[in-house]
Amino acid sequence: MTRRLYVLAGLAWILVTGAGRAAEEAGSVLAPGATVQKLAGDMKFTEGPAWLPAEKKLVFSDIPQSKLMQWTEAAGLSVYRTSEQANGNILDLQGRLISCQHAARNLVRTEPDGRITVLADRFEGQRFNSPNDVAVRSDGTLWFTDPPWGLTGPHEIPGHWVFKLDPQTGKLEAVIKSLAMPNGIVFSPDERRLYVADTGGNRRHPDPTFHDMPAGIHCFDVSPDGQLGKKRFVIPQGSDGMAVDVQGNAYATHGPGVQVYDADGKLREQIQVPENPANVCFGGEDFQTLFITARTSLYSVRVKHQGAKPVGASW
């Protein structure tokens, strides 16, 4: 009887310990044994990482130096091309690089032959503040934020808005006017939700109503035809850049790390980074490397789930 009790107790310990380890392993978004690695440094302020699968390279912004940088595992860090203080970068559905430029106050596309096409620089005749970050939808429309972080002159547009651009027709509309300092922007994997980070109230806003608004990540419903719906929830935490994985987890940069939220906006995990991160994207051969631009450096870490590509992307 005693031996039987010991055996049962041993089995119980194994089951409880094994379940605990499994739960702990399942709870993290990081790949087993993964740690944050520094890939490059000695830059001014890094932002806007975008993975180019066809070239197996990462392109990102060094804003103060007005350069787009590139990194590959084989060659390391080098200059991709000059820019006009590019900030956020993504690929459109065809794999062309889309960039928000602070100094030029515009949204541009890099063509396959290297030419730069200005997609938009004004709304109803008034120049943008300083386009910051951009997301693409399956219909090809580009949704971008326009706070004044790179603005050196006076406001022309009387607010800090989120815009929706159809590059095919040139149609441009302001879809969100209710945020103080809209920043990072990304769609959920199924495009039913749009996440927009608001860094909160700031005296630079031309309307004092927005001066004391709290920071938060705002989640909006999006209809199948691409119309913005009601606000689903707000994560009471500011953020800069964001990315999502195929499970619907949102990776948001804030303070000393990358916060990971589930699809319902609940905090799952924080990934600590040696420098305060500004933006993130997924890339690598299997899209399970999270690249992190953080102040003067570029970092990466392996994760369990693939990053979500835009719906309809051909790359």
Side-chain angles (χ1 to χ4, degrees):
M1 184 69 178
T2 304
R3 181 183 177 190
R4 191 179 197 182
L5 288 173
Y6 278 126
V7 170
L8 290 174
L11 286 173
W13 182 87
I14 291 170
L15 288 172
V16 170
T17 304
R21 288 173 180 168
E24 181 181 354
E25 186 68 20
S28 176
V29 297
L30 298 182
T35 58
V36 174
Q37 304 291 324
K38 184 174 181 177
L39 303 178
D42 297 323
M43 289 166 281
K44 297 297 183 183
F45 189 93
T46 61
E47 250 281 12
W51 178 255
L52 280 56
E55 303 175 52
K56 298 180 181 180
K57 71 172 59 172
L58 185 80
V59 171
F60 61 99
S61 301
D62 188 349
I63 299 176
Q65 297 198 83
S66 291
K67 292 178 181 177
L68 286 174
M69 308 300 293
Q70 63 182 6
W71 176 90
T72 66
E73 187 173 1
L77 183 70
S78 60
V79 176
Y80 181 70
R81 68 168 175 82
T82 60
S83 72
E84 294 185 79
Q85 292 187 350
N87 189 333
N89 303 283
I90 62 165
L91 299 186
D92 67 8
L93 300 181
Q94 291 74 41
R96 297 169 295 189
L97 187 68
I98 305 296
S99 303
C100 298
Q101 297 198 125
H102 276 185
R105 299 165 69 174
N106 61 13
L107 187 71
V108 300
R109 182 175 65 213
T110 303
E111 307 296 350
D113 62 2
R115 291 181 299 109
I116 307 300
T117 299
V118 176
L119 300 177
D121 60 2
R122 285 173 169 79
F123 178 67
E124 296 180 347
Q126 298 175 312
R127 295 187 70 190
F128 295 134
N129 298 312
S130 59
N132 187 285
D133 208 353
V134 55
V136 61
R137 195 174 171 276
S138 59
D139 57 3
T141 54
L142 299 169
W143 300 53
F144 62 97
T145 58
D146 186 39
W149 296 122
L151 184 63
T152 57
H155 286 75
E156 293 186 22
I157 293 174
H160 304 155
W161 300 339
V162 178
F163 292 96
K164 173 183 175 181
L165 171 69
D166 185 340
Q168 295 296 321
T169 64
K171 181 182 179 182
L172 178 68
E173 56 182 308
V175 291
I176 303 175
K177 296 183 176 182
S178 59
L179 303 180
M181 292 282 177
N183 205 318
I185 184 168
V186 68
F187 284 99
S188 63
D190 59 7
E191 296 189 330
R192 294 182 180 179
R193 299 180 181 184
L194 177 71
Y195 297 93
V196 184
D198 186 355
T199 51
N202 191 289
R203 293 300 187 271
R204 296 182 67 179
H205 200 292
D207 183 346
T209 305
F210 293 88
H211 287 180
D212 298 315
M213 283 186 62
I217 300 172
H218 299 252
C219 178
F220 298 87
D221 286 331
V222 182
S223 67
D225 63 350
Q227 299 302 308
L228 197 70
K230 67 179 182 180
K231 189 179 296 184
R232 181 174 289 267
F233 59 79
V234 179
I235 299 170
Q237 179 69 71
S239 177
D240 198 335
M242 297 183 292
V244 294
D245 66 24
V246 293
Q247 300 295 316
N249 298 306
Y251 298 66
T253 60
H254 179 76
V258 179
Q259 281 76 38
V260 185
Y261 299 94
D262 68 16
D264 295 319
K266 296 179 181 178
L267 181 64
R268 286 192 54 171
E269 187 171 359
Q270 175 164 292
I271 304 169
Q272 293 290 335
V273 183
E275 300 176 70
N276 286 7
N279 214 329
V280 290
C281 81
F282 290 92
E285 292 279 358
D286 55 6
F287 260 69
Q288 284 181 236
T289 296
L290 184 71
F291 289 101
I292 307 166
T293 51
R295 296 305 185 264
T296 66
S297 305
L298 173 68
Y299 297 86
S300 73
V301 65
R302 291 287 294 169
V303 292
K304 286 182 181 177
H305 308 298
Q306 288 185 320
K309 297 180 182 180
V311 177
S314 60
W315 40 272

